[in-house]
Each structure stands twice: as structure tokens, then as C-alpha cells.
Amino acid sequence: MPIRTVLLGAGPGAAYFAAGIERIKMGEIDSYGIPFGNLFKSYRPEDIQIVGVFDVDNKKIGLDMYSVTSKLLNENNVPNSLKDIEILRGLHCKSLAGLPIDATGLDDIIGDPNIAIKEFISLLNKLKPDVIVNIITTEKQVQVNNESEFVRFAGSCNGGASLTYAYAAAEYSRLYNKVSFINLTPPLLANSPGIVSYYEKVGGLIFGDDAATGATPLTADLLEHMAERNRKVSSVVQFNIGGNMDFLSLTEPERNKSKENTKGSIVNDILGYDAPHYIKPTGFLEPLGDRKFIAMHIEYTSFGGYTDEIVVTGRINDKANLGGVMASIIPITKALIERGYKGTNSSVNRFFMKKPGPLGTRNVSRIIAYNELIKELKLWDII
């Protein structure tokens, strides 16, 4: 059975994922970079079928994923099967305001957000997805404390596109088909009690928030190393500079603050104290493209009061790594929906996300999260 998947956002993350999945199906590449990829039983990455992609960039709408992917990845070996996937107009809710993109959403054209949401849900019903993945450009964070706030913010588009998409997916679950909504961006969706309770009520699943793909999981594991050896961390610095649209958007303070909040939550959770830290994106440099430059510095006190330092630098393609995360979490969440799970799941979120929901979930190193999730996946008969 295919896992019918809808992508929200037709940027580099969608392009790397779509091209990679199709090439795996064709036997052109191995499934490296997909956590649990060689262990899945009930559903596998090869079962993922992208049935629709939504965006609000007028330069992309109406094109197919082959055209967009060829341009974004600057490659000639993009699978021809992507020609069958059309990019449809989604919801804007001013999510790209201030960025150099000619953007128009259904809400801009229709004028009434509530009618636009109903139109979007109707489009979902035609596509009949099992899983919806949110990979739009980073927005400011809005936390929703109760269900009435969720409905009000989403219905007015005042909470941003991610929040409104989450509401539309929940309503699709209520009206048509139980769906898993995966939020791989910083807005606090799986960390909003009102959203999680709404998904529980309608029988859907929501996962998030903000995919852990590059430097942050490495920082978490290094901090776990310090905690296990009772070393006193005096400071943590982790920053990155990239050249794609996400990093351009993060030059806007509110968007950057959203990312900083999800990345920085690991320090106190893992160490048990809030060591002075600076963990956030710091700049945009177009020639770097999707392979961002990362640097990390951890200073700590060890036995005898002596001070040591760890320094790490690297170039990491977050968008390609994001594709591996998507290829793993999509089969897991599809299997959980079929097993009757609803609301959210902290074990899945702790491994895959920077800010794991539900609210109050403690961040742990990815080594610990991996071992915990392995046990649950075996219990659920997913691996």
C-alpha cells in the first residue's frame, strides 16, 4: 500500500526529498541517511507516494516538481516521474511577508481565510493524503493554549501559514481521513496544548517541532557526553551560515528568534542546568547554497579543575539530511495512524525534532532518543 503524502512547500527540502525517494525506488541509490531505513517492516520509504505539493510562490505554481527540482538542485539526473507531480496553490497567511518572493495564496485570492481553508481542505480530499509534511519557510512562533485559540488563530490566518495548515489537516481528519501532520519547522504546533488536544479529538496525529538534521543533534550528543562524565560545561556556542532562502528568511529577527528557541532548548534539558549558550543561525551568504557552514565550541571543566575545549567545524547540507528524516518519519507516522494512535508521540518527536512535543517533553541526546524509539518501534511491530 502506498503512503499518500502531501508536501507543504516546494523549496529545496521538497526537491531533495522527492528526487531521492524516486531514485531509491528506481534502485539508483542506496537508502543511506534514512534512520531505521533498513529495519522497517510494515511500511518502507519506497512506499512513499507524493500525491501533491503546495506552495505560494507564483513562479512555481502550475509547474511540476521535475522542473522545480531540476532548477533547485542544478542537476540533470532528476527522475522523470516527478513530472507527474503538480505544484498547487496553498495558503499564504502572510508567511513570506518581507521576503523577495512574489507570493499569492488561496487566502489572498479569495479574500476570506475561512473560505480559503475550506477550499484547501477540498483539495486535500481530492488528493486523499495519509501524511502531510510541513516544510515551508521559517515563521515566527505562536503557541496555542486551548482549542478555541487554535480555531480562532487558524481561521483568521493570524497565526501564520503553519498554524492554519495544521488546522486544515485536523479538519480533513475530522471530515474525511485520519491524517498525520508532521511539522518540520519552528512554529510550536506539537508543543501547543490546544492543537494536540484538537488532534486527539478528531483522531489525527501531529508531530514536531523543527526537524533535527544537522549541527543540533551533534551538539545534543556532545552535551550528553559531558553530562555522563560529570564535566561542568561553562559555555556552548553553535552557529551556522547558509545561502538558501531559509537563511535569507532568518535574517529577519522574529524568524531567527523562532529558530533560536527550538535549537537552544537542548542545553538545560540535557545538562540539567542552563549553561551560557549561543545557539542560532547567524547569517546569509548566497555562495554557500544549501551546504551551510557550521561551527561549534564547548568549554568545560574536568577533573582537577582543568579546562578543556571541543571545537567542531563543518559543511552540512541540511536539506538533503532533511530528506532522510522525512523518508523515515513518514512510514512511522503512517503505521501509528493505522494502529489507532492520535494526538502526538513524544518518543518519535524526541528523536526527530529539535523542540519535541507535547509541551513539557524533555530534550535528550539523540543517542538516548534513538534507543528509546527502537524499543517502541519493535513494540508497535514497525521494525
Side-chain angles (χ1 to χ4, degrees):
M1 291 288 291
I3 309 171
R4 298 179 64 83
T5 303
V6 161
L7 306 181
L8 305 176
Y16 281 105
F17 171 69
I21 282 293
E22 293 305 308
R23 293 183 66 196
I24 288 173
K25 291 179 184 179
M26 292 157 45
E28 291 185 2
I29 59 173
D30 293 317
S31 57
Y32 296 128
I34 302 177
F36 316 106
N38 57 341
L39 301 175
F40 285 118
K41 291 196 306 186
S42 54
Y43 285 103
R44 299 186 55 78
E46 299 93 317
D47 298 323
I48 296 171
Q49 179 186 3
I50 303 171
V51 296
V53 180
F54 289 88
D55 206 287
V56 293
D57 186 343
N58 288 318
K59 292 182 179 178
K60 297 177 182 177
I61 294 166
L63 299 178
D64 56 54
M65 276 301 290
Y66 177 88
S67 303
V68 171
T69 300
S70 298
K71 183 177 181 180
L72 287 173
L73 304 192
N74 194 26
E75 294 179 358
N76 296 320
N77 60 342
V78 174
N80 286 324
S81 54
L82 298 187
K83 292 179 179 179
D84 297 329
I85 305 171
E86 182 183 1
I87 298 174
L88 306 170
R89 192 180 302 278
L91 300 167
H92 184 206
C93 300
K94 300 180 181 178
S95 62
L96 295 177
L99 297 178
I101 300 175
D102 178 23
T104 307
L106 293 170
D107 47 306
D108 298 312
I109 294 173
I110 296 172
D112 184 330
N114 279 294
I115 297 175
I117 291 169
K118 290 178 181 177
E119 175 63 22
F120 179 73
I121 294 171
S122 176
L123 292 171
L124 288 181
N125 190 36
K126 292 177 182 177
L127 298 171
K128 303 196 180 310
D130 304 303
V131 179
I132 300 172
V133 186
N134 183 37
I135 44 175
I136 68 172
T137 300
T138 297
E139 302 172 278
K140 67 179 181 179
Q141 288 183 336
V142 176
Q143 193 167 52
V144 178
N145 296 313
N146 54 62
E147 293 180 16
S148 62
E149 279 187 359
F150 181 33
V151 175
R152 185 171 71 254
F153 276 125
S156 63
C157 253
N158 286 334
S162 295
L163 189 74
T164 303
Y165 276 135
Y167 174 69
E171 288 297 280
Y172 170 74
S173 288
R174 182 177 67 85
L175 296 168
Y176 301 110
N177 181 46
K178 308 305 180 190
V179 72
S180 165
F181 186 91
I182 303 170
N183 178 40
L184 301 179
T185 72
L188 300 175
L189 304 185
N191 277 278
S192 286
I195 297 178
V196 173
S197 65
Y198 199 87
Y199 268 79
E200 287 176 348
K201 184 166 70 175
V202 302
L205 270 170
I206 186 161
F207 295 89
D209 297 304
D210 199 6
T213 55
T216 302
L218 177 58
T219 304
D221 286 343
L222 288 173
L223 292 177
E224 177 66 27
H225 173 86
M226 298 297 162
E228 289 177 358
R229 283 152 183 79
N230 195 27
R231 292 167 175 166
K232 176 67 175 180
V233 175
S234 54
S235 65
V236 183
V237 176
Q238 181 216 300
F239 65 86
N240 42 63
I241 302 170
N244 57 28
M245 184 55 65
D246 268 354
F247 277 89
L248 178 59
S249 76
L250 291 170
T251 59
E252 198 270 317
E254 276 203 81
R255 298 175 194 268
N256 195 289
K257 187 68 175 176
S258 296
K259 182 67 75 170
E260 181 183 358
N261 287 344
T262 58
K263 290 169 75 72
S265 66
I266 61 173
V267 177
N268 187 69
D269 283 355
I270 294 175
L271 294 178
Y273 54 91
D274 195 19
H277 61 274
Y278 181 96
I279 304 178
K280 65 178 181 179
T282 53
F284 170 77
L285 185 63
E286 189 172 8
L288 292 176
D290 294 324
R291 289 183 64 228
K292 67 182 183 182
F293 167 76
I294 66 108
M296 186 189 311
H297 176 268
I298 300 175
E299 185 174 274
Y300 61 93
T301 301
S302 192
F303 180 75
Y306 293 100
T307 300
D308 292 331
E309 301 170 83
I310 292 176
V311 179
V312 177
T313 61
R315 292 288 303 279
I316 296 176
N317 189 330
D318 255 0
K319 299 305 180 184
N321 288 325
L322 178 65
V325 166
M326 292 165 65
S328 181
I329 194 172
I330 289 171
I332 291 172
T333 63
K334 165 63 175 173
L336 289 180
I337 279 282
E338 287 196 345
R339 285 154 177 73
Y341 284 84
K342 55 188 177 181
T344 192
N345 181 278
S346 59
S347 296
V348 174
N349 292 334
R350 283 209 283 194
F351 178 71
F352 288 106
M353 307 295 175
K354 293 187 181 79
K355 180 70 173 173
L359 185 66
T361 300
R362 179 174 166 266
N363 235 315
V364 297
S365 73
R366 294 314 179 269
I367 296 171
I368 291 176
Y370 176 84
N371 288 323
E372 288 180 350
L373 187 52
I374 278 281
K375 292 177 184 177
E376 293 206 28
L377 294 177
K378 289 179 178 178
L379 183 64
W380 300 328
D381 199 32
I382 294 175
I383 62 172

